[in-house]
Amino acid sequence: MKVDVAIAGGGPAGLAMAIHAARRGLSTVVLERRATPVDKACGEGVMPAGVSELDGLGVLPLISPTDRAVFRGIRYVEEDGTAAEGRLPHGGGLGIRRTALNLALACKARSEGAVLRDHSAVLSHRRFDRSVVLQTEAGPVEAQILIAADGLASALRHAEGLDGRQPHRRRFGLRQHFRRSPWTDFVEVHLSDGAEAYVTPVGPQRVGVAFLWEEQRLAKPIPQSVRQRFPTLSDKLAAAELESDTRASGPLARTARTPIADRFALLGDAAGYVDAITGEGLSLAFASAAALVDATVREEASAYPRAWARVRRQHIAFTRLVLWMADRPRFRRHVIRALSHQPRVFRACLALNTGACRLSLPHIRNSDGPGRDIDPGHRPSFLRL
């Protein structure tokens, strides 16, 4: 099989890239090692910038109302019940069940002309002068560029020698779903010493609960310690039926030395990840996918690393600040108490962080079909370095 773009990883980042690439007239294949739809341990909240990207991709109408719910803002809740909340800009965000999001993105990618292959892990790859040849579980694939969207522990990032220094801090995540109606249209972040619980409405009769914790500071594993650490949340979920398998992920923090190499690029979590504490992972992935395909089509290899760094810079600073406060419970409680009396300040902080995921690059325009941007007589240089 010969294609312009081969994408390793059929999660939201890889599928968003496939939609953008196919719309720009690039023949595209997505190689996923598992069966789709791919599930994952995540908070399932899509912040306003990510909702805007999904709208531009034409994906939102494909998601059933039973698998999505609007949330208007974020509420931080301390152990004693003290809460600070702020509304999100641009109409708020969406809680979307991950499997439903994957199915919708996959459906749109196929309709744009991309080929999706399950059970097709990339086993190895080798560069030649004009292409990259991949050996996969489903046979060989020859592509002009290989995009690694294979997650936190990206095997392709490691194979390319692009792993950065791994932070000493080891934080992990775990996700569960409960069948009950959401009690609020806010995402609630319940705080305790060494751990947080994120409650996201992901349907009219479903809430998702994601736990984040630091390995060194948690004496008893999540979720066995939920009642002791988050008594208010535990009471709300006491009569609710556990709806999904428990999934875990981590360590969360990962770094990459650079997001590109010759005929190769990193995308999504594979390109580096700080922490899920601010909930902007999907927005970053969608923005990065748009930037990567734009850089490829415009034959400006350096444009992607610049955009990648720009879109992450403010997000990383904000995430590290929140992590710093989470490590200092006494200071954090003072901040939450102060913000509880200053909702406008909290709202401004949320607007600042969500705005960080909006690229200043010209946005990929929609087309009525493939082939609108690529001259058949001229193929892009595909990030040749």
Side-chain angles (χ1 to χ4, degrees), residues 47 278-280 314-315 318-319 348-357:
M47 301 294 269
T278 54
E280 287 285 3
Q314 187 171 315
H315 163 74
F318 186 78
T319 301
C349 292
L350 292 175
L352 182 65
N353 184 50
T354 56
C357 293

Side-chain angles (χ1 to χ4, degrees), residues 49 53 280 283-289 291 304-317 353-361:
E53 292 289 337
E280 287 285 3
S283 296
L284 290 167
F286 296 149
S288 297
Y304 178 54
R306 289 199 306 268
W308 178 79
R310 184 165 58 251
V311 76
R312 287 164 49 88
R313 187 178 300 119
Q314 187 171 315
H315 163 74
I316 289 172
N353 184 50
T354 56
C357 293
R358 295 181 180 273
L359 285 172
S360 59
L361 280 177

